[in-house]
Amino acid sequence: MKCDIIKLERVQRQAARFVKNNYDYNSSVTEMLSELGWTDLETRRRDLRLTLLFKVVKNLVEVPLDDVGLELADQRTRSQHSYKFRVPKCSTDNMRFFLPARTIPIWNNLPAELVNSEKVKTFKSGLTSHFK
């Protein structure tokens, strides 16, 4: 899997050279990527998982919390927001890489004003600024 991610990142770096029309050996592809505003695969996937969870929490998609396996955390926790979830226990790799197990620890650490956003667009822009 790591090999596939490296290959995809390499394709993105070649695409940045193509878009910028800069094939100079001494030019920085990282600078080209930042000028274009392109993020790496890991960041895009994290943001998409958090956005999907935001849509589930706000009932913007037809997926009940129970069907995804989300349980609200106990209110006695040091909660930053009211939508904090209990992290599921995972004993197999199938469950360890399932959406809730990968996303809930990141979600629980988001600030309350970000989680309580009204619109998806506001949430996405807040994610970008939060992780910078």
Side-chain angles (χ1 to χ4, degrees), residues 32-77:
M32 290 181 210
L33 289 171
S34 66
E35 287 173 12
L36 291 168
W38 294 358
T39 57
D40 61 335
L41 181 63
E42 183 178 350
T43 303
R44 288 192 309 262
R45 293 182 75 195
R46 179 201 64 212
D47 290 351
L48 287 171
R49 284 193 317 268
L50 288 169
T51 303
L52 178 61
L53 187 56
F54 176 80
K55 289 178 181 179
V56 169
V57 166
K58 297 293 182 172
N59 292 322
L60 299 174
V61 291
E62 294 291 326
V63 178
L65 292 176
D66 297 338
D67 289 354
V68 182
L70 298 175
E71 294 180 40
L72 285 173
D74 198 3
Q75 293 300 323
R76 294 175 286 168
T77 61

mmCIF file of all heavy atoms in Angstrom, residues 32-77:
data_model
loop_
_atom_site.group_PDB
_atom_site.id
_atom_site.type_symbol
_atom_site.label_atom_id
_atom_site.label_comp_id
_atom_site.label_asym_id
_atom_site.label_seq_id
_atom_site.Cartn_x
_atom_site.Cartn_y
_atom_site.Cartn_z
ATOM 1 N N MET A 32 6.352 24.233 -6.469
ATOM 2 C CA MET A 32 5.311 24.220 -7.501
ATOM 3 C C MET A 32 3.981 23.740 -6.917
ATOM 4 O O MET A 32 2.925 24.309 -7.203
ATOM 5 C CB MET A 32 5.711 23.302 -8.661
ATOM 6 C CG MET A 32 6.839 23.803 -9.493
ATOM 7 S SD MET A 32 7.135 22.619 -10.822
ATOM 8 C CE MET A 32 8.872 22.830 -11.071
ATOM 9 N N LEU A 33 4.033 22.684 -6.109
ATOM 10 C CA LEU A 33 2.822 22.151 -5.496
ATOM 11 C C LEU A 33 2.169 23.179 -4.577
ATOM 12 O O LEU A 33 0.942 23.326 -4.564
ATOM 13 C CB LEU A 33 3.138 20.872 -4.718
ATOM 14 C CG LEU A 33 3.488 19.646 -5.545
ATOM 15 C CD1 LEU A 33 3.997 18.522 -4.653
ATOM 16 C CD2 LEU A 33 2.302 19.180 -6.351
ATOM 17 N N SER A 34 2.977 23.896 -3.807
ATOM 18 C CA SER A 34 2.396 24.904 -2.915
ATOM 19 C C SER A 34 1.839 26.087 -3.695
ATOM 20 O O SER A 34 0.817 26.653 -3.321
ATOM 21 C CB SER A 34 3.426 25.368 -1.880
ATOM 22 O OG SER A 34 4.484 26.047 -2.514
ATOM 23 N N GLU A 35 2.484 26.475 -4.793
ATOM 24 C CA GLU A 35 1.958 27.552 -5.635
ATOM 25 C C GLU A 35 0.624 27.155 -6.253
ATOM 26 O O GLU A 35 -0.280 27.984 -6.383
ATOM 27 C CB GLU A 35 2.944 27.894 -6.747
ATOM 28 C CG GLU A 35 4.179 28.640 -6.286
ATOM 29 C CD GLU A 35 5.203 28.798 -7.398
ATOM 30 O OE1 GLU A 35 4.876 28.527 -8.575
ATOM 31 O OE2 GLU A 35 6.336 29.213 -7.079
ATOM 32 N N LEU A 36 0.506 25.889 -6.636
ATOM 33 C CA LEU A 36 -0.736 25.397 -7.229
ATOM 34 C C LEU A 36 -1.814 25.140 -6.174
ATOM 35 O O LEU A 36 -2.992 25.021 -6.503
ATOM 36 C CB LEU A 36 -0.468 24.107 -8.013
ATOM 37 C CG LEU A 36 0.356 24.255 -9.284
ATOM 38 C CD1 LEU A 36 0.792 22.899 -9.803
ATOM 39 C CD2 LEU A 36 -0.443 25.003 -10.343
ATOM 40 N N GLY A 37 -1.400 25.045 -4.908
ATOM 41 C CA GLY A 37 -2.353 24.769 -3.840
ATOM 42 C C GLY A 37 -2.740 23.312 -3.743
ATOM 43 O O GLY A 37 -3.789 22.974 -3.191
ATOM 44 N N TRP A 38 -1.907 22.425 -4.269
ATOM 45 C CA TRP A 38 -2.183 20.997 -4.237
ATOM 46 C C TRP A 38 -1.641 20.405 -2.946
ATOM 47 O O TRP A 38 -0.525 20.693 -2.532
ATOM 48 C CB TRP A 38 -1.535 20.296 -5.420
ATOM 49 C CG TRP A 38 -2.105 20.684 -6.749
ATOM 50 C CD1 TRP A 38 -3.133 21.542 -6.993
ATOM 51 C CD2 TRP A 38 -1.654 20.240 -8.023
ATOM 52 N NE1 TRP A 38 -3.357 21.649 -8.337
ATOM 53 C CE2 TRP A 38 -2.458 20.856 -9.002
ATOM 54 C CE3 TRP A 38 -0.659 19.382 -8.444
ATOM 55 C CZ2 TRP A 38 -2.298 20.638 -10.354
ATOM 56 C CZ3 TRP A 38 -0.494 19.165 -9.799
ATOM 57 C CH2 TRP A 38 -1.312 19.784 -10.744
ATOM 58 N N THR A 39 -2.434 19.566 -2.314
ATOM 59 C CA THR A 39 -1.996 18.906 -1.085
ATOM 60 C C THR A 39 -1.667 17.444 -1.381
ATOM 61 O O THR A 39 -2.053 16.907 -2.411
ATOM 62 C CB THR A 39 -3.101 18.974 -0.013
ATOM 63 O OG1 THR A 39 -4.285 18.376 -0.533
ATOM 64 C CG2 THR A 39 -3.396 20.406 0.382
ATOM 65 N N ASP A 40 -0.989 16.812 -0.438
ATOM 66 C CA ASP A 40 -0.621 15.415 -0.640
ATOM 67 C C ASP A 40 -1.826 14.500 -0.407
ATOM 68 O O ASP A 40 -2.863 14.920 0.114
ATOM 69 C CB ASP A 40 0.545 15.025 0.264
ATOM 70 C CG ASP A 40 0.235 15.174 1.738
ATOM 71 O OD1 ASP A 40 -0.640 15.977 2.081
ATOM 72 O OD2 ASP A 40 0.874 14.479 2.539
ATOM 73 N N LEU A 41 -1.686 13.262 -0.793
ATOM 74 C CA LEU A 41 -2.772 12.292 -0.749
ATOM 75 C C LEU A 41 -3.270 12.066 0.673
ATOM 76 O O LEU A 41 -4.481 12.005 0.918
ATOM 77 C CB LEU A 41 -2.309 10.965 -1.362
ATOM 78 C CG LEU A 41 -3.322 9.842 -1.415
ATOM 79 C CD1 LEU A 41 -4.486 10.227 -2.306
ATOM 80 C CD2 LEU A 41 -2.667 8.574 -1.924
ATOM 81 N N GLU A 42 -2.368 11.966 1.624
ATOM 82 C CA GLU A 42 -2.748 11.710 3.014
ATOM 83 C C GLU A 42 -3.621 12.833 3.570
ATOM 84 O O GLU A 42 -4.630 12.584 4.238
ATOM 85 C CB GLU A 42 -1.482 11.549 3.860
ATOM 86 C CG GLU A 42 -1.743 11.203 5.297
ATOM 87 C CD GLU A 42 -0.468 11.018 6.080
ATOM 88 O OE1 GLU A 42 0.621 10.965 5.479
ATOM 89 O OE2 GLU A 42 -0.567 10.928 7.315
ATOM 90 N N THR A 43 -3.266 14.069 3.268
ATOM 91 C CA THR A 43 -4.039 15.216 3.739
ATOM 92 C C THR A 43 -5.412 15.253 3.097
ATOM 93 O O THR A 43 -6.419 15.496 3.775
ATOM 94 C CB THR A 43 -3.279 16.526 3.427
ATOM 95 O OG1 THR A 43 -1.986 16.467 4.022
ATOM 96 C CG2 THR A 43 -4.029 17.733 3.943
ATOM 97 N N ARG A 44 -5.474 14.980 1.801
ATOM 98 C CA ARG A 44 -6.772 14.973 1.107
ATOM 99 C C ARG A 44 -7.691 13.896 1.676
ATOM 100 O O ARG A 44 -8.883 14.138 1.902
ATOM 101 C CB ARG A 44 -6.572 14.746 -0.393
ATOM 102 C CG ARG A 44 -5.987 15.931 -1.112
ATOM 103 C CD ARG A 44 -6.082 15.765 -2.618
ATOM 104 N NE ARG A 44 -5.578 14.508 -3.114
ATOM 105 C CZ ARG A 44 -4.366 14.328 -3.636
ATOM 106 N NH1 ARG A 44 -3.541 15.338 -3.749
ATOM 107 N NH2 ARG A 44 -3.992 13.145 -4.073
ATOM 108 N N ARG A 45 -7.142 12.720 1.924
ATOM 109 C CA ARG A 45 -7.963 11.627 2.455
ATOM 110 C C ARG A 45 -8.448 11.942 3.869
ATOM 111 O O ARG A 45 -9.593 11.668 4.209
ATOM 112 C CB ARG A 45 -7.183 10.319 2.425
ATOM 113 C CG ARG A 45 -6.920 9.850 0.991
ATOM 114 C CD ARG A 45 -6.204 8.550 0.944
ATOM 115 N NE ARG A 45 -7.147 7.495 1.290
ATOM 116 C CZ ARG A 45 -6.791 6.274 1.615
ATOM 117 N NH1 ARG A 45 -5.529 5.950 1.649
ATOM 118 N NH2 ARG A 45 -7.695 5.372 1.902
ATOM 119 N N ARG A 46 -7.581 12.505 4.709
ATOM 120 C CA ARG A 46 -7.983 12.886 6.067
ATOM 121 C C ARG A 46 -9.110 13.912 6.024
ATOM 122 O O ARG A 46 -10.117 13.785 6.717
ATOM 123 C CB ARG A 46 -6.778 13.472 6.816
ATOM 124 C CG ARG A 46 -7.119 13.914 8.243
ATOM 125 C CD ARG A 46 -6.146 14.908 8.805
ATOM 126 N NE ARG A 46 -6.190 16.124 8.026
ATOM 127 C CZ ARG A 46 -5.152 16.923 7.813
ATOM 128 N NH1 ARG A 46 -3.973 16.631 8.312
ATOM 129 N NH2 ARG A 46 -5.281 18.019 7.099
ATOM 130 N N ASP A 47 -8.973 14.924 5.172
ATOM 131 C CA ASP A 47 -9.998 15.960 5.077
ATOM 132 C C ASP A 47 -11.315 15.401 4.550
ATOM 133 O O ASP A 47 -12.395 15.794 5.010
ATOM 134 C CB ASP A 47 -9.519 17.107 4.191
ATOM 135 C CG ASP A 47 -8.395 17.911 4.845
ATOM 136 O OD1 ASP A 47 -8.116 17.693 6.044
ATOM 137 O OD2 ASP A 47 -7.807 18.762 4.149
ATOM 138 N N LEU A 48 -11.246 14.471 3.605
ATOM 139 C CA LEU A 48 -12.469 13.860 3.087
ATOM 140 C C LEU A 48 -13.162 12.993 4.141
ATOM 141 O O LEU A 48 -14.393 13.003 4.246
ATOM 142 C CB LEU A 48 -12.166 13.033 1.847
ATOM 143 C CG LEU A 48 -11.855 13.839 0.590
ATOM 144 C CD1 LEU A 48 -11.343 12.925 -0.525
ATOM 145 C CD2 LEU A 48 -13.075 14.602 0.125
ATOM 146 N N ARG A 49 -12.382 12.254 4.936
ATOM 147 C CA ARG A 49 -12.977 11.448 6.006
ATOM 148 C C ARG A 49 -13.654 12.343 7.049
ATOM 149 O O ARG A 49 -14.771 12.062 7.487
ATOM 150 C CB ARG A 49 -11.913 10.581 6.690
ATOM 151 C CG ARG A 49 -11.477 9.383 5.913
ATOM 152 C CD ARG A 49 -10.679 8.395 6.756
ATOM 153 N NE ARG A 49 -9.704 8.993 7.638
ATOM 154 C CZ ARG A 49 -8.423 9.203 7.328
ATOM 155 N NH1 ARG A 49 -7.971 8.851 6.146
ATOM 156 N NH2 ARG A 49 -7.602 9.736 8.203
ATOM 157 N N LEU A 50 -12.985 13.432 7.433
ATOM 158 C CA LEU A 50 -13.561 14.346 8.421
ATOM 159 C C LEU A 50 -14.802 15.043 7.868
ATOM 160 O O LEU A 50 -15.779 15.250 8.588
ATOM 161 C CB LEU A 50 -12.518 15.371 8.864
ATOM 162 C CG LEU A 50 -11.411 14.828 9.757
ATOM 163 C CD1 LEU A 50 -10.300 15.850 9.915
ATOM 164 C CD2 LEU A 50 -11.973 14.435 11.115
ATOM 165 N N THR A 51 -14.780 15.384 6.586
ATOM 166 C CA THR A 51 -15.945 16.017 5.969
ATOM 167 C C THR A 51 -17.121 15.053 5.925
ATOM 168 O O THR A 51 -18.261 15.442 6.186
ATOM 169 C CB THR A 51 -15.597 16.516 4.550
ATOM 170 O OG1 THR A 51 -14.488 17.408 4.634
ATOM 171 C CG2 THR A 51 -16.767 17.230 3.922
ATOM 172 N N LEU A 52 -16.865 13.788 5.612
ATOM 173 C CA LEU A 52 -17.934 12.793 5.608
ATOM 174 C C LEU A 52 -18.523 12.629 7.008
ATOM 175 O O LEU A 52 -19.742 12.580 7.178
ATOM 176 C CB LEU A 52 -17.428 11.451 5.088
ATOM 177 C CG LEU A 52 -18.452 10.318 5.084
ATOM 178 C CD1 LEU A 52 -19.637 10.658 4.193
ATOM 179 C CD2 LEU A 52 -17.808 9.024 4.643
ATOM 180 N N LEU A 53 -17.678 12.579 8.019
ATOM 181 C CA LEU A 53 -18.166 12.462 9.392
ATOM 182 C C LEU A 53 -18.971 13.702 9.784
ATOM 183 O O LEU A 53 -20.003 13.596 10.454
ATOM 184 C CB LEU A 53 -17.002 12.242 10.360
ATOM 185 C CG LEU A 53 -17.377 11.946 11.808
ATOM 186 C CD1 LEU A 53 -18.295 10.733 11.907
ATOM 187 C CD2 LEU A 53 -16.124 11.724 12.633
ATOM 188 N N PHE A 54 -18.541 14.870 9.339
ATOM 189 C CA PHE A 54 -19.288 16.106 9.590
ATOM 190 C C PHE A 54 -20.684 16.015 8.976
ATOM 191 O O PHE A 54 -21.682 16.369 9.607
ATOM 192 C CB PHE A 54 -18.523 17.310 9.016
ATOM 193 C CG PHE A 54 -19.257 18.609 9.131
ATOM 194 C CD1 PHE A 54 -19.262 19.312 10.327
ATOM 195 C CD2 PHE A 54 -19.937 19.139 8.045
ATOM 196 C CE1 PHE A 54 -19.937 20.513 10.435
ATOM 197 C CE2 PHE A 54 -20.616 20.339 8.137
ATOM 198 C CZ PHE A 54 -20.621 21.029 9.341
ATOM 199 N N LYS A 55 -20.762 15.521 7.755
ATOM 200 C CA LYS A 55 -22.057 15.386 7.084
ATOM 201 C C LYS A 55 -22.949 14.378 7.793
ATOM 202 O O LYS A 55 -24.162 14.575 7.885
ATOM 203 C CB LYS A 55 -21.854 14.958 5.626
ATOM 204 C CG LYS A 55 -21.260 16.048 4.761
ATOM 205 C CD LYS A 55 -21.033 15.533 3.348
ATOM 206 C CE LYS A 55 -20.413 16.585 2.463
ATOM 207 N NZ LYS A 55 -20.172 16.078 1.097
ATOM 208 N N VAL A 56 -22.380 13.300 8.306
ATOM 209 C CA VAL A 56 -23.160 12.312 9.050
ATOM 210 C C VAL A 56 -23.687 12.925 10.334
ATOM 211 O O VAL A 56 -24.865 12.766 10.693
ATOM 212 C CB VAL A 56 -22.314 11.047 9.340
ATOM 213 C CG1 VAL A 56 -23.003 10.134 10.335
ATOM 214 C CG2 VAL A 56 -22.025 10.300 8.056
ATOM 215 N N VAL A 57 -22.836 13.651 11.056
ATOM 216 C CA VAL A 57 -23.230 14.263 12.324
ATOM 217 C C VAL A 57 -24.326 15.304 12.117
ATOM 218 O O VAL A 57 -25.276 15.387 12.891
ATOM 219 C CB VAL A 57 -21.995 14.888 13.019
ATOM 220 C CG1 VAL A 57 -22.398 15.811 14.145
ATOM 221 C CG2 VAL A 57 -21.078 13.795 13.535
ATOM 222 N N LYS A 58 -24.225 16.082 11.066
ATOM 223 C CA LYS A 58 -25.190 17.155 10.794
ATOM 224 C C LYS A 58 -26.410 16.664 10.009
ATOM 225 O O LYS A 58 -27.235 17.468 9.594
ATOM 226 C CB LYS A 58 -24.517 18.293 10.024
ATOM 227 C CG LYS A 58 -23.405 18.976 10.777
ATOM 228 C CD LYS A 58 -23.960 19.711 11.968
ATOM 229 C CE LYS A 58 -22.838 20.442 12.681
ATOM 230 N NZ LYS A 58 -23.311 21.319 13.719
ATOM 231 N N ASN A 59 -26.518 15.366 9.789
ATOM 232 C CA ASN A 59 -27.633 14.756 9.052
ATOM 233 C C ASN A 59 -27.767 15.313 7.635
ATOM 234 O O ASN A 59 -28.869 15.520 7.140
ATOM 235 C CB ASN A 59 -28.954 14.934 9.806
ATOM 236 C CG ASN A 59 -28.982 14.146 11.087
ATOM 237 O OD1 ASN A 59 -28.474 13.037 11.144
ATOM 238 N ND2 ASN A 59 -29.542 14.737 12.125
ATOM 239 N N LEU A 60 -26.644 15.529 6.979
ATOM 240 C CA LEU A 60 -26.653 15.998 5.599
ATOM 241 C C LEU A 60 -26.600 14.834 4.613
ATOM 242 O O LEU A 60 -26.738 15.032 3.418
ATOM 243 C CB LEU A 60 -25.471 16.946 5.354
ATOM 244 C CG LEU A 60 -25.474 18.205 6.224
ATOM 245 C CD1 LEU A 60 -24.194 18.995 6.007
ATOM 246 C CD2 LEU A 60 -26.694 19.052 5.930
ATOM 247 N N VAL A 61 -26.358 13.638 5.126
ATOM 248 C CA VAL A 61 -26.416 12.414 4.324
ATOM 249 C C VAL A 61 -27.326 11.430 5.046
ATOM 250 O O VAL A 61 -27.528 11.525 6.250
ATOM 251 C CB VAL A 61 -25.010 11.795 4.101
ATOM 252 C CG1 VAL A 61 -24.172 12.656 3.212
ATOM 253 C CG2 VAL A 61 -24.303 11.543 5.403
ATOM 254 N N GLU A 62 -27.863 10.505 4.313
ATOM 255 C CA GLU A 62 -28.818 9.545 4.866
ATOM 256 C C GLU A 62 -28.100 8.361 5.510
ATOM 257 O O GLU A 62 -28.310 7.211 5.124
ATOM 258 C CB GLU A 62 -29.767 9.062 3.764
ATOM 259 C CG GLU A 62 -30.662 10.136 3.218
ATOM 260 C CD GLU A 62 -31.700 10.603 4.230
ATOM 261 O OE1 GLU A 62 -32.175 9.774 5.040
ATOM 262 O OE2 GLU A 62 -32.017 11.800 4.221
ATOM 263 N N VAL A 63 -27.247 8.647 6.480
ATOM 264 C CA VAL A 63 -26.538 7.588 7.190
ATOM 265 C C VAL A 63 -26.716 7.833 8.687
ATOM 266 O O VAL A 63 -26.184 8.804 9.222
ATOM 267 C CB VAL A 63 -25.026 7.588 6.845
ATOM 268 C CG1 VAL A 63 -24.299 6.524 7.635
ATOM 269 C CG2 VAL A 63 -24.815 7.408 5.364
ATOM 270 N N PRO A 64 -27.497 6.993 9.373
ATOM 271 C CA PRO A 64 -27.661 7.164 10.817
ATOM 272 C C PRO A 64 -26.362 6.860 11.571
ATOM 273 O O PRO A 64 -25.553 6.039 11.139
ATOM 274 C CB PRO A 64 -28.734 6.140 11.192
ATOM 275 C CG PRO A 64 -29.339 5.701 9.913
ATOM 276 C CD PRO A 64 -28.332 5.946 8.836
ATOM 277 N N LEU A 65 -26.163 7.542 12.677
ATOM 278 C CA LEU A 65 -24.950 7.344 13.484
ATOM 279 C C LEU A 65 -24.812 5.893 13.929
ATOM 280 O O LEU A 65 -23.704 5.361 13.995
ATOM 281 C CB LEU A 65 -24.971 8.264 14.708
ATOM 282 C CG LEU A 65 -24.833 9.752 14.445
ATOM 283 C CD1 LEU A 65 -24.982 10.524 15.743
ATOM 284 C CD2 LEU A 65 -23.508 10.062 13.794
ATOM 285 N N ASP A 66 -25.918 5.249 14.232
ATOM 286 C CA ASP A 66 -25.864 3.859 14.701
ATOM 287 C C ASP A 66 -25.347 2.909 13.624
ATOM 288 O O ASP A 66 -24.646 1.948 13.921
ATOM 289 C CB ASP A 66 -27.248 3.389 15.155
ATOM 290 C CG ASP A 66 -27.748 4.193 16.341
ATOM 291 O OD1 ASP A 66 -26.905 4.782 17.048
ATOM 292 O OD2 ASP A 66 -28.977 4.226 16.554
ATOM 293 N N ASP A 67 -25.695 3.163 12.360
ATOM 294 C CA ASP A 67 -25.260 2.289 11.273
ATOM 295 C C ASP A 67 -23.756 2.356 11.043
ATOM 296 O O ASP A 67 -23.148 1.394 10.585
ATOM 297 C CB ASP A 67 -25.983 2.642 9.974
ATOM 298 C CG ASP A 67 -27.448 2.234 10.008
ATOM 299 O OD1 ASP A 67 -27.859 1.585 10.995
ATOM 300 O OD2 ASP A 67 -28.171 2.561 9.043
ATOM 301 N N VAL A 68 -23.161 3.490 11.348
ATOM 302 C CA VAL A 68 -21.715 3.648 11.154
ATOM 303 C C VAL A 68 -20.946 3.118 12.355
ATOM 304 O O VAL A 68 -19.759 2.857 12.278
ATOM 305 C CB VAL A 68 -21.371 5.145 10.906
ATOM 306 C CG1 VAL A 68 -19.904 5.353 10.661
ATOM 307 C CG2 VAL A 68 -22.175 5.687 9.751
ATOM 308 N N GLY A 69 -21.627 2.932 13.459
ATOM 309 C CA GLY A 69 -20.966 2.437 14.662
ATOM 310 C C GLY A 69 -20.443 3.551 15.538
ATOM 311 O O GLY A 69 -19.465 3.372 16.258
ATOM 312 N N LEU A 70 -21.093 4.713 15.503
ATOM 313 C CA LEU A 70 -20.658 5.851 16.301
ATOM 314 C C LEU A 70 -21.475 5.943 17.580
ATOM 315 O O LEU A 70 -22.700 5.892 17.551
ATOM 316 C CB LEU A 70 -20.811 7.148 15.512
ATOM 317 C CG LEU A 70 -19.983 7.268 14.246
ATOM 318 C CD1 LEU A 70 -20.333 8.547 13.517
ATOM 319 C CD2 LEU A 70 -18.517 7.233 14.573
ATOM 320 N N GLU A 71 -20.786 6.068 18.696
ATOM 321 C CA GLU A 71 -21.435 6.264 19.989
ATOM 322 C C GLU A 71 -20.905 7.551 20.584
ATOM 323 O O GLU A 71 -19.687 7.767 20.619
ATOM 324 C CB GLU A 71 -21.095 5.120 20.940
ATOM 325 C CG GLU A 71 -21.625 3.777 20.548
ATOM 326 C CD GLU A 71 -21.214 2.720 21.567
ATOM 327 O OE1 GLU A 71 -21.245 3.008 22.781
ATOM 328 O OE2 GLU A 71 -20.846 1.626 21.136
ATOM 329 N N LEU A 72 -21.815 8.412 21.033
ATOM 330 C CA LEU A 72 -21.370 9.641 21.672
ATOM 331 C C LEU A 72 -20.580 9.296 22.933
ATOM 332 O O LEU A 72 -20.927 8.367 23.660
ATOM 333 C CB LEU A 72 -22.558 10.526 22.024
ATOM 334 C CG LEU A 72 -23.197 11.255 20.851
ATOM 335 C CD1 LEU A 72 -24.468 11.962 21.292
ATOM 336 C CD2 LEU A 72 -22.225 12.248 20.246
ATOM 337 N N ALA A 73 -19.530 10.049 23.179
ATOM 338 C CA ALA A 73 -18.688 9.808 24.349
ATOM 339 C C ALA A 73 -19.430 10.250 25.607
ATOM 340 O O ALA A 73 -20.360 11.061 25.561
ATOM 341 C CB ALA A 73 -17.373 10.571 24.220
ATOM 342 N N ASP A 74 -19.003 9.724 26.721
ATOM 343 C CA ASP A 74 -19.582 10.089 28.005
ATOM 344 C C ASP A 74 -19.331 11.576 28.258
ATOM 345 O O ASP A 74 -18.257 12.095 27.964
ATOM 346 C CB ASP A 74 -18.926 9.228 29.092
ATOM 347 C CG ASP A 74 -19.727 9.203 30.363
ATOM 348 O OD1 ASP A 74 -20.818 9.798 30.393
ATOM 349 O OD2 ASP A 74 -19.269 8.562 31.323
ATOM 350 N N GLN A 75 -20.293 12.277 28.796
ATOM 351 C CA GLN A 75 -20.170 13.717 29.023
ATOM 352 C C GLN A 75 -19.135 14.051 30.095
ATOM 353 O O GLN A 75 -18.763 15.208 30.261
ATOM 354 C CB GLN A 75 -21.529 14.317 29.404
ATOM 355 C CG GLN A 75 -22.533 14.280 28.268
ATOM 356 C CD GLN A 75 -22.050 15.049 27.045
ATOM 357 O OE1 GLN A 75 -21.405 16.086 27.159
ATOM 358 N NE2 GLN A 75 -22.342 14.521 25.870
ATOM 359 N N ARG A 76 -18.672 13.054 30.841
ATOM 360 C CA ARG A 76 -17.684 13.314 31.890
ATOM 361 C C ARG A 76 -16.272 13.464 31.338
ATOM 362 O O ARG A 76 -15.352 13.767 32.062
ATOM 363 C CB ARG A 76 -17.714 12.191 32.921
ATOM 364 C CG ARG A 76 -19.013 12.146 33.693
ATOM 365 C CD ARG A 76 -19.043 10.960 34.593
ATOM 366 N NE ARG A 76 -19.268 9.786 33.748
ATOM 367 C CZ ARG A 76 -19.121 8.543 34.158
ATOM 368 N NH1 ARG A 76 -18.729 8.278 35.373
ATOM 369 N NH2 ARG A 76 -19.351 7.532 33.345
ATOM 370 N N THR A 77 -16.108 13.242 30.040
ATOM 371 C CA THR A 77 -14.785 13.376 29.449
ATOM 372 C C THR A 77 -14.431 14.855 29.303
ATOM 373 O O THR A 77 -15.291 15.722 29.364
ATOM 374 C CB THR A 77 -14.724 12.718 28.059
ATOM 375 O OG1 THR A 77 -15.659 13.378 27.209
ATOM 376 C CG2 THR A 77 -15.036 11.252 28.131
#
